[in-house]
Amino acid sequence: VPVSTVMLAVSAALLLLAGGVPSATAWAPAPKFSTSGLFAARHRLTPPATPTLSTRRPIRRRLVFRMAAATSAAPRGVCWDVDGTLADSFLLGYSATKDVLHQAGYAEPSGDEYHAYCIYTTPVRLARHAGLEPGTDDFERIGADLGRKFDDMYIDLVSTDTAAFFPGVLEIVEGLGSRKVPLGALTNAAVGYAEAVLTVNGVRMMFSSVHGADDVPAPKPNPDGMVVCLSEMGLEAQVGKCKS
């Protein structure tokens, strides 16, 4: 199976079947947290004052998912991203990032800065937030230290309040699972985080492969992690076929 077939299966369905492109207002989610004021104060779970297109992820983040009912032919496999695709975890990731940087004496990033660096693995992302650049003496050391602290906090706070699936996603995953479609999950966060998100949402047993940037040969956008996932899903990857 070409890597592109599996990687684009979800996004293609979302873009074509969501019933149109939502407005900027529709993309700004109401806070999903039902935790106590003490929790919210401690972790500063407050979204940007005026969420805009520039502070949100691409369209896929807020689309209504209808993939399961859209086709009578089951895909050969689906490998999911986690944050912003399966789980609505923006406030969790953003607040944990601010906490870790604040505790280490660094400035807290804006929402735009947070999103701009989410393309990187956790240690690289946090090192950049700290004002460091690759190649400097402290980049890897400080990034690794901040990354460990972030993962400890981030994973511990995963719950259905902080990392619930987007509306409709659970039904899709369960529908694919009932049809015995192989499922995988690959994140550029830690594998422990992906495991926690799938577990609290009650679907871990449906996934034959779950990996993070810390347990694959190279993180996304490199294809190495996807190759590992597809192999564990019983599918063969044709590396080099993906255009993304």
Side-chain angles (χ1 to χ4, degrees), residues 39-85:
F39 179 94
R42 177 183 175 188
H43 298 288
R44 300 193 295 286
L45 298 177
T46 304
T50 306
T52 64
L53 298 184
S54 63
T55 61
R56 311 304 297 159
R57 282 197 171 185
I59 294 173
R60 64 191 176 124
R61 185 175 175 79
R62 301 303 302 169
L63 294 179
V64 176
F65 301 93
R66 298 194 180 99
M67 176 179 165
T71 176
S72 59
R76 294 180 63 184
V78 178
C79 192
W80 301 81
D81 182 33
V82 179
D83 289 324
T85 301

Short mmCIF file of all heavy atoms in Angstrom, two decimals, residues 39-85:
data_model
loop_
_atom_site.label_atom_id
_atom_site.label_comp_id
_atom_site.label_asym_id
_atom_site.label_seq_id
_atom_site.Cartn_x
_atom_site.Cartn_y
_atom_site.Cartn_z
N PHE A 39 -7.71 23.53 39.05
CA PHE A 39 -6.97 22.91 37.96
C PHE A 39 -6.71 23.92 36.86
O PHE A 39 -5.61 24.05 36.34
CB PHE A 39 -7.75 21.72 37.40
CG PHE A 39 -7.07 21.02 36.25
CD1 PHE A 39 -6.29 19.92 36.47
CD2 PHE A 39 -7.23 21.48 34.94
CE1 PHE A 39 -5.67 19.27 35.41
CE2 PHE A 39 -6.62 20.84 33.89
CZ PHE A 39 -5.84 19.73 34.14
N ALA A 40 -7.77 24.66 36.49
CA ALA A 40 -7.63 25.63 35.41
C ALA A 40 -6.63 26.71 35.77
O ALA A 40 -5.84 27.16 34.94
CB ALA A 40 -8.99 26.25 35.09
N ALA A 41 -6.65 27.15 37.02
CA ALA A 41 -5.71 28.19 37.44
C ALA A 41 -4.28 27.67 37.46
O ALA A 41 -3.35 28.33 37.02
CB ALA A 41 -6.09 28.69 38.84
N ARG A 42 -4.12 26.45 37.93
CA ARG A 42 -2.78 25.88 38.03
C ARG A 42 -2.13 25.72 36.67
O ARG A 42 -0.96 25.97 36.48
CB ARG A 42 -2.86 24.52 38.73
CG ARG A 42 -1.51 23.81 38.81
CD ARG A 42 -1.66 22.44 39.44
NE ARG A 42 -0.40 21.72 39.42
CZ ARG A 42 -0.28 20.45 39.77
NH1 ARG A 42 -1.33 19.77 40.20
NH2 ARG A 42 0.89 19.83 39.71
N HIS A 43 -2.93 25.28 35.72
CA HIS A 43 -2.37 24.98 34.40
C HIS A 43 -2.72 26.02 33.35
O HIS A 43 -2.42 25.84 32.17
CB HIS A 43 -2.82 23.59 33.96
CG HIS A 43 -2.32 22.52 34.89
ND1 HIS A 43 -1.00 22.15 34.93
CD2 HIS A 43 -2.94 21.80 35.84
CE1 HIS A 43 -0.84 21.20 35.85
NE2 HIS A 43 -2.00 20.97 36.41
N ARG A 44 -3.36 27.10 33.76
CA ARG A 44 -3.65 28.22 32.87
C ARG A 44 -4.31 27.75 31.57
O ARG A 44 -3.84 28.03 30.48
CB ARG A 44 -2.38 29.01 32.58
CG ARG A 44 -1.76 29.58 33.84
CD ARG A 44 -0.71 30.61 33.51
NE ARG A 44 0.42 30.05 32.81
CZ ARG A 44 1.37 29.31 33.38
NH1 ARG A 44 1.29 29.00 34.66
NH2 ARG A 44 2.39 28.87 32.68
N LEU A 45 -5.39 26.99 31.74
CA LEU A 45 -6.06 26.44 30.57
C LEU A 45 -7.01 27.48 29.97
O LEU A 45 -8.22 27.36 29.99
CB LEU A 45 -6.83 25.17 30.95
CG LEU A 45 -5.96 24.04 31.47
CD1 LEU A 45 -6.81 22.87 31.87
CD2 LEU A 45 -4.95 23.62 30.40
N THR A 46 -6.44 28.54 29.47
CA THR A 46 -7.21 29.62 28.87
C THR A 46 -6.82 29.77 27.42
O THR A 46 -5.65 29.98 27.12
CB THR A 46 -6.94 30.95 29.61
OG1 THR A 46 -7.23 30.76 31.00
CG2 THR A 46 -7.81 32.06 29.04
N PRO A 47 -7.76 29.65 26.49
CA PRO A 47 -7.43 29.77 25.07
C PRO A 47 -7.08 31.20 24.73
O PRO A 47 -7.34 32.12 25.52
CB PRO A 47 -8.72 29.34 24.38
CG PRO A 47 -9.79 29.70 25.36
CD PRO A 47 -9.19 29.44 26.72
N PRO A 48 -6.44 31.44 23.59
CA PRO A 48 -6.19 32.80 23.16
C PRO A 48 -7.48 33.61 23.19
O PRO A 48 -8.56 33.08 22.91
CB PRO A 48 -5.66 32.63 21.73
CG PRO A 48 -5.08 31.25 21.72
CD PRO A 48 -5.97 30.45 22.63
N ALA A 49 -7.39 34.89 23.55
CA ALA A 49 -8.57 35.72 23.74
C ALA A 49 -9.48 35.71 22.52
O ALA A 49 -10.69 35.64 22.62
CB ALA A 49 -8.16 37.14 24.09
N THR A 50 -8.90 35.81 21.34
CA THR A 50 -9.68 35.81 20.10
C THR A 50 -9.07 34.82 19.13
O THR A 50 -8.20 35.16 18.33
CB THR A 50 -9.69 37.21 19.46
OG1 THR A 50 -10.13 38.15 20.44
CG2 THR A 50 -10.62 37.24 18.26
N PRO A 51 -9.47 33.52 19.20
CA PRO A 51 -8.90 32.54 18.27
C PRO A 51 -9.20 32.94 16.83
O PRO A 51 -10.31 33.34 16.51
CB PRO A 51 -9.65 31.25 18.65
CG PRO A 51 -10.12 31.48 20.05
CD PRO A 51 -10.42 32.94 20.12
N THR A 52 -8.18 32.87 15.99
CA THR A 52 -8.34 33.21 14.58
C THR A 52 -7.77 32.09 13.75
O THR A 52 -7.21 31.13 14.26
CB THR A 52 -7.58 34.51 14.25
OG1 THR A 52 -6.18 34.28 14.45
CG2 THR A 52 -8.03 35.66 15.14
N LEU A 53 -7.89 32.25 12.43
CA LEU A 53 -7.32 31.24 11.53
C LEU A 53 -5.84 31.07 11.77
O LEU A 53 -5.29 29.99 11.64
CB LEU A 53 -7.58 31.63 10.07
CG LEU A 53 -9.05 31.72 9.65
CD1 LEU A 53 -9.12 32.01 8.16
CD2 LEU A 53 -9.79 30.45 9.97
N SER A 54 -5.16 32.15 12.14
CA SER A 54 -3.70 32.07 12.32
C SER A 54 -3.32 31.34 13.59
O SER A 54 -2.18 30.94 13.74
CB SER A 54 -3.10 33.48 12.35
OG SER A 54 -3.59 34.21 13.46
N THR A 55 -4.28 31.18 14.54
CA THR A 55 -3.95 30.48 15.77
C THR A 55 -4.58 29.11 15.82
O THR A 55 -4.53 28.44 16.84
CB THR A 55 -4.43 31.28 17.00
OG1 THR A 55 -5.84 31.44 16.92
CG2 THR A 55 -3.74 32.62 17.07
N ARG A 56 -5.17 28.66 14.74
CA ARG A 56 -5.74 27.32 14.68
C ARG A 56 -5.00 26.49 13.66
O ARG A 56 -4.38 27.00 12.74
CB ARG A 56 -7.23 27.37 14.28
CG ARG A 56 -8.05 28.35 15.08
CD ARG A 56 -7.96 28.09 16.56
NE ARG A 56 -8.52 26.80 16.85
CZ ARG A 56 -8.23 26.13 17.97
NH1 ARG A 56 -7.38 26.62 18.84
NH2 ARG A 56 -8.76 24.95 18.19
N ARG A 57 -5.11 25.19 13.79
CA ARG A 57 -4.51 24.31 12.81
C ARG A 57 -5.32 24.31 11.53
O ARG A 57 -6.37 24.93 11.45
CB ARG A 57 -4.42 22.90 13.39
CG ARG A 57 -3.25 22.78 14.37
CD ARG A 57 -2.93 21.33 14.61
NE ARG A 57 -1.69 21.22 15.37
CZ ARG A 57 -1.10 20.07 15.64
NH1 ARG A 57 -1.60 18.95 15.19
NH2 ARG A 57 0.02 20.05 16.34
N PRO A 58 -4.86 23.61 10.49
CA PRO A 58 -5.58 23.61 9.22
C PRO A 58 -7.00 23.12 9.35
O PRO A 58 -7.46 22.71 10.40
CB PRO A 58 -4.73 22.66 8.35
CG PRO A 58 -3.36 22.79 8.92
CD PRO A 58 -3.57 22.93 10.40
N ILE A 59 -7.70 23.14 8.20
CA ILE A 59 -9.13 22.87 8.15
C ILE A 59 -9.51 21.58 8.86
O ILE A 59 -10.51 21.52 9.55
CB ILE A 59 -9.60 22.78 6.67
CG1 ILE A 59 -9.44 24.15 6.01
CG2 ILE A 59 -11.03 22.30 6.57
CD1 ILE A 59 -9.71 24.13 4.53
N ARG A 60 -8.70 20.55 8.73
CA ARG A 60 -9.05 19.24 9.25
C ARG A 60 -9.36 19.27 10.73
O ARG A 60 -10.06 18.40 11.25
CB ARG A 60 -7.91 18.24 9.00
CG ARG A 60 -6.63 18.60 9.75
CD ARG A 60 -5.48 17.74 9.26
NE ARG A 60 -4.26 18.17 9.92
CZ ARG A 60 -3.47 17.38 10.62
NH1 ARG A 60 -3.77 16.11 10.75
NH2 ARG A 60 -2.37 17.82 11.17
N ARG A 61 -8.86 20.30 11.43
CA ARG A 61 -8.97 20.34 12.88
C ARG A 61 -10.41 20.44 13.36
O ARG A 61 -10.77 19.90 14.40
CB ARG A 61 -8.16 21.53 13.42
CG ARG A 61 -8.12 21.61 14.93
CD ARG A 61 -7.20 22.72 15.35
NE ARG A 61 -7.26 22.87 16.79
CZ ARG A 61 -6.64 22.08 17.65
NH1 ARG A 61 -5.89 21.10 17.20
NH2 ARG A 61 -6.76 22.25 18.94
N ARG A 62 -11.27 21.14 12.61
CA ARG A 62 -12.62 21.36 13.11
C ARG A 62 -13.71 20.82 12.18
O ARG A 62 -14.87 21.17 12.32
CB ARG A 62 -12.85 22.86 13.30
CG ARG A 62 -11.90 23.52 14.28
CD ARG A 62 -11.93 22.88 15.63
NE ARG A 62 -13.25 22.89 16.23
CZ ARG A 62 -13.56 22.20 17.31
NH1 ARG A 62 -12.68 21.41 17.87
NH2 ARG A 62 -14.76 22.30 17.81
N LEU A 63 -13.36 19.97 11.24
CA LEU A 63 -14.37 19.44 10.33
C LEU A 63 -15.25 18.39 11.01
O LEU A 63 -14.83 17.72 11.93
CB LEU A 63 -13.69 18.81 9.10
CG LEU A 63 -12.95 19.78 8.18
CD1 LEU A 63 -12.32 19.00 7.04
CD2 LEU A 63 -13.89 20.83 7.64
N VAL A 64 -16.45 18.25 10.50
CA VAL A 64 -17.34 17.18 10.95
C VAL A 64 -16.96 15.92 10.21
O VAL A 64 -16.89 15.91 8.99
CB VAL A 64 -18.80 17.55 10.67
CG1 VAL A 64 -19.72 16.40 11.05
CG2 VAL A 64 -19.17 18.81 11.40
N PHE A 65 -16.72 14.83 10.95
CA PHE A 65 -16.21 13.61 10.35
C PHE A 65 -17.34 12.68 9.94
O PHE A 65 -18.16 12.30 10.77
CB PHE A 65 -15.29 12.89 11.34
CG PHE A 65 -14.12 13.73 11.78
CD1 PHE A 65 -14.20 14.50 12.93
CD2 PHE A 65 -12.97 13.76 11.03
CE1 PHE A 65 -13.13 15.27 13.33
CE2 PHE A 65 -11.90 14.53 11.42
CZ PHE A 65 -11.98 15.29 12.57
N ARG A 66 -17.36 12.34 8.65
CA ARG A 66 -18.39 11.42 8.17
C ARG A 66 -17.78 10.30 7.33
O ARG A 66 -18.42 9.72 6.48
CB ARG A 66 -19.42 12.17 7.33
CG ARG A 66 -20.15 13.26 8.11
CD ARG A 66 -21.36 13.74 7.34
NE ARG A 66 -22.05 14.77 8.09
CZ ARG A 66 -21.91 16.08 7.85
NH1 ARG A 66 -21.10 16.49 6.89
NH2 ARG A 66 -22.56 16.96 8.56
N MET A 67 -16.53 10.00 7.58
CA MET A 67 -15.82 9.04 6.75
C MET A 67 -16.48 7.65 6.80
O MET A 67 -16.58 6.96 5.79
CB MET A 67 -14.37 8.94 7.22
CG MET A 67 -13.54 7.90 6.51
SD MET A 67 -11.84 7.89 7.13
CE MET A 67 -11.29 6.34 6.46
N ALA A 68 -16.92 7.25 7.99
CA ALA A 68 -17.41 5.88 8.14
C ALA A 68 -18.62 5.60 7.27
O ALA A 68 -18.78 4.50 6.74
CB ALA A 68 -17.73 5.60 9.60
N ALA A 69 -19.49 6.60 7.13
CA ALA A 69 -20.71 6.39 6.37
C ALA A 69 -20.56 6.80 4.91
O ALA A 69 -21.51 6.69 4.14
CB ALA A 69 -21.85 7.20 6.99
N ALA A 70 -19.37 7.23 4.52
CA ALA A 70 -19.21 7.81 3.20
C ALA A 70 -18.93 6.78 2.11
O ALA A 70 -19.08 7.07 0.93
CB ALA A 70 -18.09 8.82 3.22
N THR A 71 -18.51 5.61 2.50
CA THR A 71 -18.13 4.64 1.48
C THR A 71 -18.52 3.25 1.92
O THR A 71 -18.51 2.94 3.10
CB THR A 71 -16.61 4.67 1.21
OG1 THR A 71 -16.29 3.64 0.27
CG2 THR A 71 -15.80 4.47 2.48
N SER A 72 -18.90 2.43 0.97
CA SER A 72 -19.25 1.04 1.28
C SER A 72 -18.02 0.15 1.23
O SER A 72 -18.07 -1.00 1.67
CB SER A 72 -20.31 0.54 0.30
OG SER A 72 -19.81 0.61 -1.04
N ALA A 73 -16.93 0.65 0.67
CA ALA A 73 -15.71 -0.14 0.56
C ALA A 73 -14.75 0.28 1.66
O ALA A 73 -14.32 1.42 1.72
CB ALA A 73 -15.06 0.07 -0.80
N ALA A 74 -14.43 -0.63 2.57
CA ALA A 74 -13.53 -0.31 3.67
C ALA A 74 -12.11 -0.09 3.16
O ALA A 74 -11.65 -0.80 2.26
CB ALA A 74 -13.54 -1.45 4.69
N PRO A 75 -11.40 0.89 3.70
CA PRO A 75 -10.00 1.07 3.32
C PRO A 75 -9.16 -0.10 3.82
O PRO A 75 -9.57 -0.83 4.73
CB PRO A 75 -9.61 2.37 4.03
CG PRO A 75 -10.54 2.46 5.20
CD PRO A 75 -11.83 1.87 4.71
N ARG A 76 -8.00 -0.29 3.23
CA ARG A 76 -7.14 -1.39 3.64
C ARG A 76 -6.49 -1.11 4.98
O ARG A 76 -6.03 -2.02 5.66
CB ARG A 76 -6.08 -1.63 2.57
CG ARG A 76 -6.67 -2.13 1.26
CD ARG A 76 -5.58 -2.37 0.23
NE ARG A 76 -4.65 -3.40 0.63
CZ ARG A 76 -3.56 -3.74 -0.05
NH1 ARG A 76 -3.30 -3.11 -1.18
NH2 ARG A 76 -2.77 -4.69 0.38
N GLY A 77 -6.44 0.14 5.38
CA GLY A 77 -5.88 0.50 6.67
C GLY A 77 -5.92 2.01 6.83
O GLY A 77 -5.95 2.75 5.85
N VAL A 78 -5.94 2.48 8.08
CA VAL A 78 -5.91 3.91 8.36
C VAL A 78 -4.91 4.15 9.49
O VAL A 78 -5.02 3.56 10.57
CB VAL A 78 -7.29 4.45 8.78
CG1 VAL A 78 -7.20 5.95 9.11
CG2 VAL A 78 -8.32 4.22 7.69
N CYS A 79 -3.93 5.03 9.23
CA CYS A 79 -2.97 5.42 10.26
C CYS A 79 -3.22 6.89 10.60
O CYS A 79 -3.10 7.76 9.73
CB CYS A 79 -1.53 5.22 9.77
SG CYS A 79 -0.30 5.35 11.11
N TRP A 80 -3.57 7.15 11.83
CA TRP A 80 -4.00 8.46 12.27
C TRP A 80 -2.87 9.26 12.92
O TRP A 80 -2.02 8.71 13.62
CB TRP A 80 -5.09 8.32 13.32
CG TRP A 80 -6.32 7.59 12.92
CD1 TRP A 80 -6.50 6.23 12.87
CD2 TRP A 80 -7.58 8.16 12.55
NE1 TRP A 80 -7.78 5.93 12.48
CE2 TRP A 80 -8.47 7.08 12.28
CE3 TRP A 80 -8.03 9.47 12.42
CZ2 TRP A 80 -9.78 7.29 11.89
CZ3 TRP A 80 -9.35 9.67 12.03
CH2 TRP A 80 -10.21 8.59 11.77
N ASP A 81 -2.91 10.58 12.73
CA ASP A 81 -2.19 11.48 13.61
C ASP A 81 -3.05 11.59 14.88
O ASP A 81 -4.20 11.17 14.89
CB ASP A 81 -2.00 12.83 12.93
CG ASP A 81 -1.22 13.81 13.78
OD1 ASP A 81 -0.33 13.37 14.52
OD2 ASP A 81 -1.51 15.02 13.71
N VAL A 82 -2.51 12.18 15.94
CA VAL A 82 -3.25 12.25 17.20
C VAL A 82 -3.77 13.66 17.47
O VAL A 82 -4.96 13.93 17.36
CB VAL A 82 -2.39 11.74 18.38
CG1 VAL A 82 -3.16 11.83 19.69
CG2 VAL A 82 -1.95 10.29 18.13
N ASP A 83 -2.88 14.59 17.80
CA ASP A 83 -3.30 15.95 18.12
C ASP A 83 -3.89 16.65 16.90
O ASP A 83 -3.28 16.70 15.84
CB ASP A 83 -2.12 16.78 18.64
CG ASP A 83 -1.67 16.34 20.02
OD1 ASP A 83 -2.53 15.98 20.83
OD2 ASP A 83 -0.46 16.37 20.29
N GLY A 84 -5.08 17.20 17.06
CA GLY A 84 -5.70 17.95 15.97
C GLY A 84 -6.33 17.09 14.91
O GLY A 84 -6.93 17.61 13.96
N THR A 85 -6.23 15.78 15.01
CA THR A 85 -6.85 14.87 14.06
C THR A 85 -7.81 13.94 14.79
O THR A 85 -9.00 13.93 14.54
CB THR A 85 -5.80 14.06 13.29
OG1 THR A 85 -4.93 14.95 12.60
CG2 THR A 85 -6.45 13.11 12.29
#
